[in-house]
Amino acid sequence: MTAKHYLFEVKPNIPPQLAKLPLLSKDLIYSWKEPIRQLFIRLDPELWEHCSHNPSVFLRRIEQHKLDKAAVDADYLTAYRQTVEWYRHYQDSNGPPNQDTNTLLNPKKDLVVYFCSEFGLHESLPVYSGGLGILAGDHCKAANDICLPFIAVGLLYHQGYFTQTIDPDGNQIATNINHYFGHLPISLLKDDKGNELHCELSLNGSKLTLRLWEAKVGRVKLLLLDSDLACNREEDRSITRQLYGDGMDTRIKQEIVLGIGGVKALRTLGLQPNIWHINEGHAAFQIVQRCLEGVEQGTPFDAALEWVAGSTVFTTHTPVAAGHDSFSRDTMENYFAEMAEQLGIEFETLMALGYANGDDSPFNMTAFALRGSRFHNGVSKIHGGIASAMESYIWPEVPPEDNPLDFLTNGVHINSILAKRWAAVFDQHLSLWQHHLLDKDYWQCIDNIPNGIYWRAHRALKSQLLSVACKRLTIQQQRNACSLALQKSSTCQIKNTAGDILVLGFARRFATYKRATLLFSDLPRLEKILNNPERPVIILFAGKAHPSDEPGQQLIRDIHQFSERPEFIGKIILLEGYDLALARYMVAGCDIWLNTPVYPLEACGTSGQKAAINGVVNLSIMDGWWAEGFNEKNGWGIEPHSDKYGDDYRNQQEASDLLDIIENEVIPAYFERDDSDLPVEWLRLSKASMKSCIPQFSAQRMLMDYIEKFYLPAKRQNQRLGKNKHSAAIILAQWKQQIRSCWPGVKARVIEQSALGIHYGDKLSITLGVDLNGLSPKDIIVECLSGYLDATNAFRLDTSYTFNVESKPAADTEAPQEVVYRLEIEPQSSGIYHYKLRLYPFHALLSHNFEMGFMRWL
């Protein structure tokens, strides 16, 4: 008979001298403030690692005598008091002294709310899966840095995302672990009487109660919703169990809770945001709830939608179809038929807001988010163009390059990802560097850091990475009962961390379009590269595949099998359990960062930004952020090949380019040394990476761009459309209805235009006749676009001119209803000109001239 194990916990008592440690453990500011982390690390470094850098768990596990010793240690107490005083001052301050507050929002009047399905702030709060969540976490941190009036809303997943191990055959084993909330840096929200704060919503005819939790991110709060309450139905208690739970029924419930429940939670707290940011389509159902609030105030649905959309920013993050959730008509009717009645509209009207491919298509959350917002963006310049084309069905008559879907390139939180070794070097050599994160000229001073000091810092970070990799790989192989010979040969390269070895890193989600195995397209050549004893090279791989993504899991098996081939043992290393902690080691300790996506499917790719900020040199397909970041001096770029001859041909060509660069450029740049044994060319590339990427791809730059391009315009639209009981929104909605009714009958023709050639000094004269079909001349804009044809014969706009309305009717008696528009242009120089003529509806209350998607070309 096997004995049963019983568990109990003996928690230490925090000495009064250290009473603020629990407070510091509940503020995620520790994720980027080294002095706070050091207060815990100094008490017990081994326990800190064992607790996965979680201070809440640490304070429950530390031995009492170590706390008592620290309470009388003068040096420790000095550091403790200084940190606590800094923290108090930080909470009371209004941001860095050089912050231009004139460009920001008013904390007494404005509030930005940011919805996302996941937040990657730190490994101690496991409510994230990958890039989307980490970007959301960095957005929150940057909002804290500039004291933006800001709150975030997400879900509190009891199991978070899965924990990954890899078995002896290379299979990914996904394990879900229930997290004890007492171990997380969160607090249960309560009212003045000590009662838990709840909000309620209707879900498929039943009441659903949500519990509200809060995570502190410095000055910013993250509101987290939890459905696991005894008063809820059993199937509803599991809604917030797993991030991206299986099945579309679970997915729509999660998105209802996030969107509708998130709005209700904000109202429970008495909050009235005036700028709403939807980060990916998962939270788009908030639009429905906010429209309902308008309808309940007496505003017609169409006007309520205009008001809601005018204050809403929507960011789409991927061109991959699987990243855009859609729900069947039956599913939508099951959950939203009652809501449509409450909104005073037919269910079909609500359903149509989510159509992406005609009336019989599913309800697409991206389509709905676009129709329910007026400010939209992709996350890089390339992605903005791709997204504009993909989602052009929203604005069917407007060319994709002109439609309202803009771009704003992602950035990363410098203080969270910059290795502390680099921070120490900067503190020594760069004056007040943290106050110059957005100053491109300032960062040229990185060249002032002596090469020897710079190289030693990087070598130390690489040594840390290889030590961590060795430890993790050993644990992995011992668990898998690998032979001692295999264990020894697998770690022989990385165990000798003092050796000079070139480390290539590939760490990201294992999705097929990211092509993790592109390197293996020419195995003999790769074997030659990795087995040169004079110039040793290893490749570190890490990442997870979604449990439902079998092709992605096959990539893991393939890499595992390559890593166990005799010629690659110890040269190709696959690490399990990829998380934020391992990511920090990799983006700081590798020499080269590899990125090989299928163009143009890499929307942004912030891991490469993190690597560049730490001086790791990028070698990437020219996609996502790298197409903007690469300047031919800070790394290597691979121009994507056409898929005209098929995917296999393109992959073969790009793999050949990749291996060419590694063999002929990367390896020489790293191994060719000067008289001081320094890799001068690699150092030049590394410094160029830092100089170019720190100011251009910081989260602070990203957030300042959001404020200027989207948040401030959304604030203005909220003011315009919301005042006087939404009177302006009502006017705009009625005008749009008239445009939709009349536009199909609007016609235009050229009545008269100048000859093909005129002399310099003469004017080009154009007269148009427009049948407005019941519209007023003030309802439309008629334009002439003047420009030129580039080398590819594409039209490039130079100047646009607006036609004037003539008072007299058309001379052509066959069209007496036409309104005459006339334009005269005097060219500023001789030469060949090209022009195009168009008209589109216009109203002063529009957020974007082309938001209706109507346009006529002559």
Side-chain angles (χ1 to χ4, degrees):
M1 181 177 178
T2 303
K4 184 177 180 179
H5 288 261
Y6 296 90
L7 177 68
F8 71 99
E9 180 182 22
V10 179
K11 294 181 287 186
N13 296 309
I14 307 298
Q17 300 92 321
L18 308 178
K20 297 295 185 182
L21 284 179
L23 174 67
L24 296 175
S25 75
K26 291 296 185 180
D27 190 332
L28 282 148
I29 196 171
Y30 63 70
S31 67
W32 74 90
K33 286 297 179 182
E34 181 65 19
I36 296 178
R37 292 198 301 276
Q38 282 300 320
L39 291 181
F40 301 100
I41 295 171
R42 286 179 61 175
L43 293 172
D44 191 334
E46 291 186 10
L47 180 63
W48 178 255
E49 292 297 326
H50 183 70
C51 293
S52 300
H53 312 150
N54 186 327
S56 296
V57 175
F58 181 92
L59 289 180
R60 300 174 73 105
R61 300 285 183 266
I62 189 169
E63 296 179 54
Q64 185 70 50
H65 75 89
K66 294 183 179 180
L67 287 172
D68 294 338
K69 181 180 178 182
V72 295
D73 183 321
D75 289 342
Y76 184 87
L77 288 175
T78 297
Y80 168 81
R81 291 168 186 148
Q82 289 175 343
T83 303
V84 169
E85 177 59 22
W86 173 88
Y87 181 73
R88 184 195 65 77
H89 175 74
Y90 184 85
Q91 291 291 325
D92 295 338
S93 70
N94 293 316
N98 65 342
Q99 185 64 61
D100 182 6
T101 55
N102 292 329
T103 64
L104 303 185
L105 300 163
N106 186 337
K108 295 182 180 179
K109 297 181 180 179
D110 301 316
L111 179 62
V112 179
V113 63
Y114 181 90
F115 280 69
C116 192
S117 59
E118 53 175 293
F119 287 86
L121 291 150
H122 190 254
E123 59 268 24
S124 58
L125 184 60
V127 291
Y128 65 94
S129 68
L132 175 67
I134 296 167
L135 183 280
D138 284 359
H139 203 104
C140 294
K141 293 174 183 178
N144 164 78
D145 291 344
I146 64 173
C147 295
L148 193 71
F150 184 95
I151 188 169
V153 178
L155 301 181
L156 182 58
Y157 304 101
H158 289 244
Q159 296 181 348
Y161 205 48
F162 69 92
T163 299
Q164 178 203 51
T165 54
I166 298 174
D167 75 7
D169 297 318
N171 297 305
Q172 172 180 276
I173 308 300
T175 304
N176 294 307
I177 301 173
N178 283 310
H179 299 292
Y180 173 53
F181 289 172
H183 290 170
L184 303 182
I186 57 176
S187 301
L188 185 60
L189 291 181
K190 299 181 179 181
D191 62 20
D192 294 338
K193 297 180 180 179
N195 300 313
E196 292 183 3
L197 281 179
H198 294 167
C199 68
E200 297 177 353
L201 62 148
S202 176
L203 186 68
N204 196 16
S206 297
K207 183 179 75 173
L208 177 68
T209 302
L210 301 175
R211 182 163 42 194
L212 311 185
W213 298 79
E214 178 185 277
K216 287 189 66 177
V217 189
R219 307 177 187 98
V220 161
K221 292 181 173 61
L222 167 59
L223 180 62
L224 296 167
L225 311 180
D226 172 19
S227 70
D228 191 12
L229 282 79
C231 60
N232 290 329
R233 297 180 301 179
E234 183 59 35
E235 61 266 31
D236 292 341
R237 295 184 66 173
S238 66
I239 292 173
T240 56
R241 183 161 298 159
Q242 291 179 13
L243 176 57
Y244 304 135
D246 290 336
M248 296 314 294
D249 192 62
T250 297
R251 182 64 65 88
I252 196 171
K253 286 182 178 180
Q254 288 185 332
E255 298 187 4
I256 290 170
V257 168
L258 176 59
I260 295 177
V263 175
K264 287 178 170 286
L266 291 167
R267 303 314 188 206
T268 298
L269 297 176
L271 298 175
Q272 299 292 331
N274 58 336
I275 299 148
W276 300 70
H277 190 163
I278 302 174
N279 194 44
E280 199 52 276
H282 310 112
F285 286 136
Q286 59 146 274
I287 296 165
V288 179
Q289 180 61 29
R290 292 165 58 207
C291 285
L292 181 60
E293 291 178 343
V295 169
E296 290 174 343
Q297 295 172 25
T299 304
F301 172 76
D302 286 349
L305 180 60
E306 290 299 332
W307 168 60
V308 166
S311 60
T312 303
V313 180
F314 170 59
T315 302
T316 179
H317 282 266
T318 179
V320 179
H324 301 260
D325 286 345
S326 60
F327 302 107
S328 70
R329 184 185 185 87
D330 288 345
T331 298
M332 284 296 297
E333 195 162 15
N334 191 34
Y335 287 100
F336 283 95
E338 180 182 352
M339 177 69 83
E341 291 182 12
Q342 294 172 339
L343 291 168
I345 59 175
E346 298 293 330
F347 173 74
E348 179 58 32
T349 301
L350 179 61
M351 190 72 188
L353 291 173
Y355 285 150
N357 297 296
D359 294 351
D360 59 346
S361 63
F363 187 92
N364 183 286
M365 293 298 284
T366 297
F368 180 55
L370 288 168
R371 291 190 176 102
S373 61
R374 293 293 175 260
F375 305 97
H376 340 274
N377 69 286
V379 290
S380 70
K381 185 175 182 179
I382 288 176
H383 178 234
I386 297 299
S388 295
M390 282 183 62
E391 322 305 341
S392 61
Y393 56 84
I394 301 289
W395 311 278
E397 296 178 5
V398 178
E401 63 270 18
D402 289 336
N403 73 32
L405 210 163
D406 204 338
F407 80 92
L408 196 160
T409 304
N410 286 340
V412 298
H413 191 246
I414 303 294
N415 289 326
S416 291
I417 203 62
L418 185 71
K420 63 182 180 181
R421 182 74 181 232
W422 283 124
V425 171
F426 288 2
D427 287 342
Q428 183 178 0
H429 295 275
L430 310 181
S431 175
L432 298 175
W433 63 272
Q434 296 203 45
H435 298 308
H436 294 277
L437 292 181
L438 306 183
D439 185 347
K440 293 183 179 180
D441 292 336
Y442 171 86
W443 287 98
Q444 300 306 309
C445 65
I446 281 181
D447 286 334
N448 298 333
I449 301 173
N451 276 352
I453 291 173
Y454 191 99
W455 179 235
R456 285 194 294 275
H458 174 72
R459 285 283 298 271
L461 291 169
K462 180 159 64 171
S463 179
Q464 287 180 354
L465 167 63
L466 296 181
S467 177
V468 167
C470 184
K471 181 178 180 180
R472 284 180 175 242
L473 185 60
T474 299
I475 292 172
Q476 178 178 329
Q477 291 187 330
Q478 287 177 347
R479 186 192 64 247
N480 288 335
C482 295
S483 68
L484 291 176
L486 179 59
Q487 292 179 42
K488 183 177 180 180
S489 57
S490 296
T491 59
C492 64
Q493 293 274 11
I494 58 177
K495 184 169 283 187
N496 180 21
T497 55
D500 200 355
I501 186 171
L502 174 61
V503 179
L504 312 181
F506 185 103
R508 52 187 47 84
R509 181 165 55 93
F510 281 115
T512 52
Y513 77 88
K514 294 179 182 287
R515 296 189 300 186
T517 55
L518 191 66
L519 274 167
F520 303 104
S521 300
D522 187 342
L523 290 178
R525 189 175 184 188
L526 182 62
E527 179 184 358
K528 175 186 173 185
I529 290 172
L530 297 184
N531 285 282
N532 182 349
E534 301 299 320
R535 294 183 168 186
V537 180
I538 66 169
I539 309 173
L540 291 181
F541 287 93
K544 296 178 178 179
H546 190 279
S548 300
D549 183 4
E550 177 53 36
Q553 294 182 60
Q554 183 60 47
L555 292 174
I556 296 175
R557 285 190 287 270
D558 291 343
I559 295 170
H560 174 80
Q561 290 166 8
F562 284 125
S563 74
E564 293 197 335
R565 292 174 63 140
E567 66 271 28
F568 294 137
I569 291 176
K571 312 294 176 59
I572 295 171
I573 296 171
L574 175 62
L575 300 176
E576 65 184 11
Y578 187 55
D579 62 5
L580 274 170
L582 180 55
R584 285 196 299 273
Y585 285 116
M586 291 195 68
V587 298
C590 290
D591 299 303
I592 305 294
W593 198 255
L594 300 175
N595 191 32
T596 53
V598 175
Y599 177 90
L601 300 183
E602 182 77 286
C604 185
T606 53
S607 67
Q609 296 175 355
K610 296 170 186 175
I613 283 163
N614 281 284
V616 176
V617 183
N618 275 269
L619 166 52
S620 174
I621 299 291
M622 295 290 284
D623 196 7
W625 80 279
W626 189 232
E628 300 166 52
F630 178 56
N631 62 16
E632 300 185 356
K633 299 177 182 178
N634 59 355
W636 294 274
I638 300 173
E639 288 291 343
H641 288 251
S642 171
D643 59 358
K644 178 180 179 181
Y645 301 107
D647 291 345
D648 289 344
Y649 175 81
R650 178 197 55 206
N651 292 343
Q652 180 185 13
Q653 294 301 309
E654 292 179 6
S656 178
D657 291 346
L658 176 64
L659 293 171
D660 279 346
I661 292 173
I662 291 174
E663 185 173 15
N664 301 320
E665 298 184 52
V666 172
I667 291 176
Y670 182 82
F671 284 105
E672 292 178 2
R673 306 300 170 91
D674 65 4
D675 293 340
S676 301
D677 197 32
L678 297 176
V680 176
E681 178 60 13
W682 183 91
L683 287 168
R684 183 192 65 77
L685 290 161
S686 177
K687 287 185 175 183
S689 294
M690 280 191 174
K691 288 188 296 184
S692 61
C693 294
I694 287 176
Q696 187 176 357
F697 297 107
S698 73
Q700 277 198 14
R701 186 277 309 157
M702 173 185 72
L703 191 54
M704 295 301 288
D705 285 351
Y706 268 111
I707 292 170
E708 180 180 352
K709 294 183 70 173
F710 302 127
Y711 290 174
L712 289 173
K715 170 187 173 178
R716 290 191 288 268
Q717 279 298 81
N718 177 273
Q719 291 172 335
R720 290 206 300 171
L721 300 181
K723 63 184 179 181
N724 299 327
K725 298 182 179 180
H726 309 137
S727 59
I730 293 172
I731 291 171
L732 181 59
Q734 291 173 343
W735 176 83
K736 284 190 173 184
Q737 184 56 46
Q738 184 185 18
I739 295 296
R740 293 188 188 99
S741 176
C742 297
W743 189 256
V746 172
K747 301 174 184 177
R749 66 188 180 102
V750 177
I751 295 176
E752 181 183 4
Q753 59 184 326
S754 299
L756 291 178
I758 61 174
H759 288 92
Y760 178 72
D762 293 340
K763 293 182 179 181
L764 169 66
S765 178
I766 308 172
T767 304
L768 304 182
V770 182
D771 181 349
L772 295 174
N773 192 33
L775 298 178
S776 166
K778 64 182 174 57
D779 290 329
I780 69 165
I781 296 288
V782 181
E783 283 185 335
C784 172
L785 307 182
S786 175
Y788 62 94
L789 299 184
D790 66 13
T792 65
N793 218 34
F795 178 81
R796 299 298 180 188
L797 176 64
D798 182 50
T799 310
S800 63
Y801 303 92
T802 302
F803 281 74
N804 295 315
V805 180
E806 291 280 288
S807 57
K808 59 183 180 181
D812 187 344
T813 56
E814 294 181 2
Q817 78 278 18
E818 285 184 343
V819 175
V820 176
Y821 288 79
R822 190 180 302 279
L823 176 67
E824 288 189 341
I825 305 171
E826 184 175 351
Q828 297 302 303
S829 65
S830 56
I832 298 296
Y833 288 83
H834 295 264
Y835 65 88
K836 300 193 293 186
L837 305 173
R838 71 181 180 187
L839 59 151
Y840 54 88
F842 175 79
H843 195 286
L845 290 173
L846 291 173
S847 302
H848 189 284
N849 284 358
F850 306 143
E851 70 183 59
M852 292 204 68
F854 294 148
M855 188 171 286
R856 289 279 188 274
W857 294 92
L858 279 74

